Amino acid sequence: MNDRRWWALGAVTLGTFMTYLDNNVVNVALPTIQKELELGISGLEWIVSGYILVFAGLMLVGGRLADVYGKRRIFLIGLTVFTLSSLAAGLATSGGALIAARAVQGVGAAFLTPTALALLSSVFPDPRERGTAVGIWTATGALSMALGPVTGGFISEHLHWGWIYLINVPIGAGALALASWTLPRDPQPVRHSLDLPGLATSAIALFALTYALIEGEGAGWTSPEILTALGVTLAAAAAFVLAETRSAEPMIDLSLFGNRVFTGGALSMGLWSFGIFGIYFFSALWLQNALGFSPTEAGGAFVPMALLMAVVAIQAQRVARLLGNGRTVALGLGLMTASVLGIAAVGADGGYLDVLPWFLVYGLGGGLLVPLTTMILGSMPPARAGVASSVLNVSREVFGLLGITVLGAVLGSLQSSALADGLIPQAAFLDAYRQTLTIAAVIILIGVPVSLWALRGSRTAQATEPVEKAEAVS
């Protein structure tokens, strides 16, 4: 297997790249899809939201299935489901068919994404090799951010929109063949129970929370629809906690949250996600509304940042061996905070060259967060790697949605206030945008002390310590 482990990394990163690319490609192509399928705004929103809703809602389920039935098996199933549903999406001739295919894509991604990280833990038991592997895996995600908008813009302008999904078919087929050959066979599972009450209540809670975050601004945060969704979230979350305390083989052993590395690391990851989702979303609006960029040009503007993030991610483990994981992650979050404040300081007469250096600083900081992932995975025993990866991904997705939702509400409120004060629309947007970024910077900055606390005294070589040892240094 040793000779194949880097090929196995290729299979895992290729599958992950496909799902990340799909997320980034679709946004640019939405106007074209709307026109050709004659969709309203609601239908257009659900092309994006349907995928996110299913993906986030079933992510913990995917991790649990991986722990019970095997990481390799669930990864291959997720890869197959995502590839076939991509084919269906690309061939869809109506809005309903496309939305349904996107929902099935969400199922595939929910199985594929958490198992990808868990597989890296088993394929690379050596902590240094694992750090390099996670760095390459992270770099792949960064590259998808760079290539996605540009690819989506090119397909929208020169090919049929269906190719934004059909492009996944050869990628998925290649990843499936490579994974079948290289990934190690699953050992006998340590855990035998699915914990159906935990699966059901966690899925309901995540579905309801994601729905509220997606629809809250449009429906109104105090509307019966959103209040009901939030109430269901709280009730299901309480039922989940109760079910886990009573289960013989709980889906998530709640005592794991007493592990400093696991809890603090997941929180730091969430704060990072809050910032990066907001930066991509609102800076893309700024480039188009203030500088007059086309959607494709706006997507291309992020390419230097994403490429630098990819390069730094591969080298981050070397920095961590010098500084320690906590300081490296704190440095990354600090650089990201400085970047966001720098972008917020660019005035109305600013141009792309004024913001590019700050984009690059952001890419540098984001790349340094690789040790965060390796530490969280290393703090978990192998039998729980699937759910641990799921918790990490849930933290990223939910905080990312919060970043867009909360910052979006703040920006909208500030913009309305500025318009009421007599500012022209462009000036009102810029003023609100700059204030919103300042708030985002403060939230990212919280991750600096959190990561210093959670990862203190740890070096990369210790990343594979089991839970008991990780807590012994608490």
Side-chain angles (χ1 to χ4, degrees):
M1 175 59 207
N2 285 343
D3 295 334
R4 295 184 182 179
R5 65 187 186 279
W6 295 106
W7 287 104
L9 172 63
V12 172
T13 54
L14 197 59
T16 304
F17 176 80
M18 177 177 66
T19 60
Y20 284 8
L21 183 70
D22 188 81
N23 254 347
N24 289 293
V25 164
V26 67
N27 291 327
V28 177
L30 286 177
T32 304
I33 295 174
Q34 181 182 27
K35 181 180 178 181
E36 296 203 12
L37 294 185
E38 299 179 349
L39 294 175
I41 295 298
S42 176
L44 205 61
E45 289 175 345
W46 275 104
I47 292 174
V48 177
S49 300
Y51 172 85
I52 296 174
L53 189 66
V54 176
F55 177 41
L58 295 181
M59 207 179 302
L60 286 177
V61 174
R64 177 63 174 194
L65 291 176
D67 286 343
V68 173
Y69 294 114
K71 296 183 285 290
R72 180 183 187 272
R73 181 178 290 111
I74 298 303
F75 180 81
L76 293 176
I77 291 173
L79 197 54
T80 302
V81 170
F82 193 92
T83 302
L84 293 177
S85 56
S86 295
L87 176 64
L91 299 177
T93 57
S94 67
L98 179 56
I99 292 169
R102 288 283 287 163
V104 179
Q105 275 189 314
V107 175
F111 286 11
L112 188 157
T113 303
T115 50
L117 269 176
L119 280 166
L120 294 185
S121 295
S122 59
V123 173
F124 294 94
D126 179 80
R128 291 198 176 192
E129 286 191 343
R130 180 190 301 165
T132 301
V134 172
I136 294 172
W137 182 84
T138 304
T140 302
L143 285 174
S144 75
M145 295 178 187
L147 297 176
V150 177
T151 303
F154 177 84
I155 290 174
S156 297
E157 293 176 16
H158 302 288
L159 301 172
H160 184 267
W161 64 265
W163 280 102
I164 67 173
Y165 301 112
L166 294 176
I167 195 174
N168 293 331
V169 177
I171 297 175
L176 190 61
L178 195 57
S180 299
W181 173 57
T182 60
L183 292 180
R185 295 288 177 182
D186 294 312
Q188 289 296 320
V190 177
R191 306 165 79 76
H192 304 285
S193 167
L194 276 178
D195 182 21
L196 291 177
L199 289 180
T201 52
S202 68
I204 292 171
L206 288 172
F207 271 122
L209 176 60
T210 306
Y211 179 84
L213 292 176
I214 291 171
E215 296 294 313
E217 187 174 358
W221 291 104
T222 57
S223 66
E225 174 186 353
I226 300 304
L227 291 177
T228 299
L230 293 174
V232 169
T233 300
L234 292 175
F240 173 75
V241 171
L242 182 62
E244 297 308 276
T245 58
R246 295 184 175 183
S247 175
E249 288 187 328
M251 180 173 153
I252 298 179
D253 186 345
L254 299 180
S255 66
L256 293 179
F257 289 99
N259 177 1
R260 166 171 53 84
V261 174
F262 180 75
T263 303
L267 179 57
S268 295
M269 178 63 75
L271 293 168
W272 166 81
S273 183
F274 189 103
I276 196 169
F277 274 60
I279 289 296
Y280 267 82
F281 187 79
F282 295 110
S283 293
L285 290 177
W286 176 76
L287 290 170
Q288 294 176 67
N289 293 347
L291 300 188
F293 279 33
S294 70
T296 303
E297 291 171 336
F302 291 99
V303 169
M305 178 178 79
L307 291 177
L308 179 60
M309 189 183 299
V311 172
V312 175
I314 297 174
Q315 301 298 323
Q317 292 301 113
R318 294 185 178 182
V319 179
R321 283 193 286 272
L322 293 173
L323 301 181
N325 288 298
R327 292 188 185 96
T328 301
V329 172
L331 175 61
L333 290 169
L335 287 171
M336 292 167 66
T337 301
S339 166
V340 175
L341 290 174
I343 296 170
V346 176
D349 57 346
Y352 179 63
L353 291 180
D354 296 302
V355 79
L356 177 60
W358 296 114
F359 275 9
L360 295 177
V361 171
Y362 195 92
L364 176 62
L368 289 174
L369 298 192
V370 169
L372 182 58
T373 303
T374 59
M375 282 299 295
I376 295 172
L377 292 179
S379 71
M380 293 294 100
R384 295 174 182 170
V387 165
S389 301
S390 298
V391 172
L392 183 61
N393 282 287
V394 165
S395 173
R396 185 179 61 200
E397 291 296 320
V398 171
F399 272 87
L401 278 174
L402 279 169
I404 294 175
T405 303
V406 174
L407 294 179
V410 170
L411 187 146
S413 175
L414 291 173
Q415 187 175 12
S416 298
S417 178
L419 288 171
D421 290 339
L423 290 181
I424 62 174
Q426 184 173 346
F429 173 82
L430 181 61
D431 184 63
Y433 167 74
R434 294 171 69 183
Q435 293 184 64
T436 301
L437 287 192
T438 302
I439 295 171
V442 172
I443 292 172
I444 298 172
L445 185 62
I446 296 172
V448 172
V450 170
S451 57
L452 287 172
W453 164 75
L455 307 179
R456 68 184 186 274
S458 60
R459 300 258 172 191
T460 301
Q462 295 172 316
T464 54
E465 295 294 321
V467 175
E468 294 78 13
K469 292 184 180 180
E471 292 192 6
V473 298
S474 298

